[in-house]
Amino acid sequence: MERTESTPDTTTAFNMPDWMQIQFADQKREFNKRPTKIGRRSLSRSISQSSTDSYSSDSSDDETSPRDKQQKNSKGSGDFCVKNIKQAEFGRREIEIAEQEMPALMALRKRAQGEKPLSGAKIVGCTHITAQTAVLIETLGALGAQCRWAACNIYSTLNEVAAALAESGFPVFSWKGESEDDFWWCIDRCVNVEGWQPNMILDDGGDLTHWIYKKYPNMFKKIKGIVEESVTGVHRLYQLSKAGKLCVPAMNVNDSVTKQKFDNLYCCRESILDGLKRTTDMMFGGKQVVVCGYGEVGKGCCAALKAMGSIVYVTEIDPICALQACMDGFRLVKLNEVIRQVDIVITCTGNKNVVTREHLDRMKNGCIVCNMGHSNTEIDVASLRTPELTWERVRSQVDHVIWPDGKRIVLLAEGRLLNLSCSTVPTFVLSITATTQALALIELYNAPEGRYKQDVYLLPKKMDEYVASLHLPTFDAHLTELSDEQAKYLGLNKNGPFKPNYYRY
């Protein structure tokens, strides 16, 4: 689909507030500080009990769905639904560890909490609920916002972190191993609240935005904007915009430089190996792998697997990405050409039915199949739920699907996002994304009327550069400064932005 991002004139539209004027030397000093059996099941065969266990939960507690429990935090509030509120202490420790690797978000919290640029904001969020997103949620709270939160993936929630947030007073509705019905129930509990209506949306995948459009369209009369961070969610927003149905401004965080070039690439480069190793204990050297899609996620996956000695093939529809894959030393193929011989199939396209039942039937015995895209649409898992195939749970998030002749494939996370479902992701790179999300929310919430219309926007370039600069002191990095003569020669402001909006990094 052809996209035309709307970008305001950043020379006049975006004025950096005082709390963003952080001196580089001050950042370094700041960042060097360190803070001291009954239950609802999906009709399509939901996960087994082992996949919903948290390390700190007891088995007796796992028998009951969180929806059927009456829990309260230490303050007496019951406005949440998590696996076990007693896990809050464990979750708090994980959040404190994450804070140490999220320097920019902590700096933003410290510098802006006096001004409270989100005072009056009522943010409803739907993201992965991990220690890293907990730091974001608590930062938004420190900046003045009221938040209600649900998970964007039924497998990625860390139960102890959700409990810690609930204990701190954040209405959180999420637990690991939700059914499809639970998933939408949790989103509805965040949105449908007597006496509280959101005026900002932070979404990851577009499910929250979709639910409000479907069930509560009148809410958009008071919503000032949407911030979306995933390929899937951004695609949905552009569809709404093209159809003339997008009724509020939306910020496309996924295509911001600080998200796409860091989270999508570097995060996946590390977490693909982590997810595969934790679930399968496999050796990568010499294995034949096909990676479907050579966007930033695909590039990260391919680089990691190549470095481990794997033989990597790539499938692509885009000739530019395809040429990049060839120039990076990967063989470009059609999936049908290698499906019989590969040991691992990884999807990361953002599309649907990339791996079909025909492909699955032709795979060799023991082939590992997984997805690194946001949604569970890339692998046709539904086609495997037929009487002639047998499903066998091996361990949490690992299933053998067995054909009548005894052939079996290894399906990870039932085709959902591998890294956040089966392992963890690097905290530092998520600090970059989370800071970008926070600034996008601040910009949309405080923008004067008329700056943003009912369209999809990219963040101002100056804001991308600001997020990047906040993370440099961690590496003891020293930026070169332009002289007045050099700045005049290039036609730039000495303080940026340093690249035009059309520049591709």
Side-chain angles (χ1 to χ4, degrees):
M1 180 195 310
E2 181 180 349
R3 295 181 179 179
T4 54
E5 285 92 352
S6 301
T7 306
D9 181 1
T10 57
T11 59
T12 57
F14 176 66
N15 296 315
M16 188 178 288
D18 292 341
W19 51 266
M20 286 181 69
Q21 310 289 342
I22 300 178
Q23 296 299 315
F24 200 77
D26 291 341
Q27 295 176 36
K28 182 177 179 181
R29 287 194 295 271
E30 186 170 299
F31 293 156
N32 284 336
K33 297 176 182 177
R34 299 294 186 185
T36 41
K37 268 190 174 166
I38 297 174
R40 293 171 174 83
R41 295 288 185 229
S42 170
L43 294 177
S44 60
R45 183 198 169 277
S46 186
I47 60 283
S48 66
Q49 180 173 326
S50 63
S51 66
T52 63
D53 288 345
S54 171
Y55 71 91
S56 53
S57 64
D58 56 43
S59 58
S60 63
D61 191 54
D62 290 336
E63 297 286 337
T64 307
S65 167
R67 290 170 62 174
D68 297 328
K69 298 178 185 177
Q70 297 293 325
Q71 301 184 80
K72 293 187 181 296
N73 62 19
S74 61
K75 302 176 184 64
S77 172
D79 188 19
F80 62 86
C81 189
V82 299
K83 186 72 173 177
N84 185 353
I85 191 65
K86 296 177 183 177
Q87 298 175 346
E89 184 179 348
F90 293 99
R92 179 52 53 189
R93 294 172 191 168
E94 293 193 27
I95 294 171
E96 289 172 353
I97 292 172
E99 287 175 348
Q100 298 178 33
E101 275 285 289
M102 304 186 81
L105 208 55
M106 298 305 292
L108 182 65
R109 183 187 300 186
K110 182 176 181 180
R111 295 289 180 134
Q113 65 182 355
E115 185 179 323
K116 294 198 180 300
L118 289 175
S119 178
K122 295 181 179 180
I123 302 172
V124 60
C126 184
T127 66
H128 302 284
I129 296 184
T130 62
Q132 295 82 13
T133 50
V135 178
L136 170 61
I137 294 167
E138 293 188 337
T139 298
L140 298 177
L143 301 184
Q146 297 178 30
C147 301
R148 298 180 69 84
W149 230 262
C152 67
N153 185 295
I154 65 174
Y155 293 140
S156 63
T157 297
L158 295 181
N159 288 331
E160 58 274 13
V161 170
L165 286 169
E167 174 59 31
S168 297
F170 291 95
V172 173
F173 300 85
S174 175
W175 59 94
K176 188 178 182 74
E178 299 168 1
S179 68
E180 291 291 331
D181 180 61
D182 293 331
F183 175 80
W184 295 111
W185 179 86
C186 288
I187 289 177
D188 193 71
R189 282 295 306 272
C190 285
V191 175
N192 186 17
V193 189
E194 186 176 352
W196 192 93
Q197 181 173 320
N199 53 26
M200 293 295 297
I201 295 173
L202 178 57
D203 211 353
D204 183 355
D207 288 323
L208 171 60
T209 303
H210 167 76
W211 189 255
I212 296 177
Y213 264 103
K214 180 181 176 181
K215 294 288 186 179
Y216 310 103
N218 288 334
M219 283 189 176
F220 281 103
K221 294 178 180 178
K222 293 188 177 180
I223 291 175
K224 300 189 70 172
I226 302 167
V227 173
E228 172 60 56
E229 75 149 309
S230 78
V231 174
T232 303
V234 165
H235 178 67
R236 288 176 165 184
L237 288 175
Y238 280 112
Q239 286 180 321
L240 286 172
S241 178
K242 187 176 181 179
K245 296 181 180 180
L246 185 63
C247 49
V248 296
M251 199 70 84
N252 170 5
V253 168
N254 179 73
D255 291 314
S256 66
V257 178
T258 44
K259 167 65 165 62
Q260 190 174 80
K261 294 293 181 179
F262 294 91
D263 192 339
N264 292 14
L265 175 61
Y266 299 114
C267 175
C268 296
R269 191 173 70 181
E270 297 193 18
S271 60
I272 180 63
L273 300 179
D274 189 17
L276 286 169
K277 186 69 78 173
R278 289 198 199 195
T279 50
T280 66
D281 302 315
M282 74 174 308
M283 180 89 174
F284 297 110
K287 292 294 192 300
Q288 296 192 58
V289 185
V290 60
V291 177
C292 302
Y294 202 68
E296 299 303 325
V297 173
K299 288 180 175 70
C301 293
C302 288
L305 291 160
K306 181 179 180 180
M308 295 302 293
S310 297
I311 302 164
V312 182
Y313 304 96
V314 172
T315 73
E316 246 305 335
I317 62 168
D318 186 329
I320 296 175
C321 293
L323 183 57
Q324 287 179 317
C326 293
M327 297 292 284
D328 287 337
F330 301 108
R331 186 181 167 199
L332 189 75
V333 298
K334 292 183 177 180
L335 188 55
N336 284 333
E337 297 170 359
V338 296
I339 197 65
R340 290 186 183 277
Q341 67 195 60
V342 293
D343 302 291
I344 309 172
V345 178
I346 301 169
T347 57
C348 42
T349 69
N351 206 340
K352 64 180 293 187
N353 294 334
V354 177
V355 177
T356 65
R357 175 61 187 267
E358 181 183 356
H359 293 127
L360 294 160
D361 285 337
R362 295 175 61 199
M363 289 176 185
K364 71 179 186 180
N365 184 52
C367 183
I368 297 168
V369 187
C370 63
N371 170 47
M372 282 289 285
H374 176 83
S375 296
N376 61 331
T377 57
E378 304 205 28
I379 303 166
D380 188 9
V381 176
S383 70
L384 297 176
R385 302 190 188 281
T386 55
E388 76 273 13
L389 300 183
T390 303
W391 284 61
E392 181 179 87
R393 177 53 56 98
V394 181
R395 60 173 69 163
S396 176
Q397 313 294 3
V398 182
D399 287 291
H400 280 171
V401 182
I402 307 170
W403 270 250
D405 63 358
K407 184 197 88 168
R408 63 183 63 201
I409 64 168
V410 183
L411 179 64
L412 304 182
E414 297 187 17
R416 295 179 183 272
L417 183 59
L418 171 70
N419 55 3
L420 280 157
S421 296
C422 300
S423 62
T424 57
V425 292
T427 299
F428 182 81
V429 78
L430 291 188
S431 174
I432 301 173
T433 299
T435 306
T436 306
Q437 289 173 302
L439 290 175
L441 286 166
I442 293 170
E443 170 66 8
L444 272 182
Y445 181 69
N446 291 284
E449 187 175 351
R451 177 182 293 178
Y452 298 104
K453 305 188 186 313
Q454 296 170 353
D455 206 345
V456 185
Y457 293 84
L458 291 173
L459 263 69
K461 182 70 66 177
K462 183 67 175 176
M463 199 176 289
D464 263 329
E465 293 176 351
Y466 175 67
V467 172
S469 69
L470 286 175
H471 290 85
L472 288 175
T474 302
F475 303 99
D476 194 23
H478 304 274
L479 274 175
T480 299
E481 296 182 7
L482 290 172
S483 66
D484 292 338
E485 183 181 7
Q486 289 173 323
K488 183 178 181 182
Y489 177 77
L490 293 173
L492 296 175
N493 186 308
K494 288 179 65 174
N495 299 315
F498 298 99
K499 298 288 190 296
N501 286 317
Y502 57 79
Y503 183 82
R504 285 167 168 68
Y505 289 81

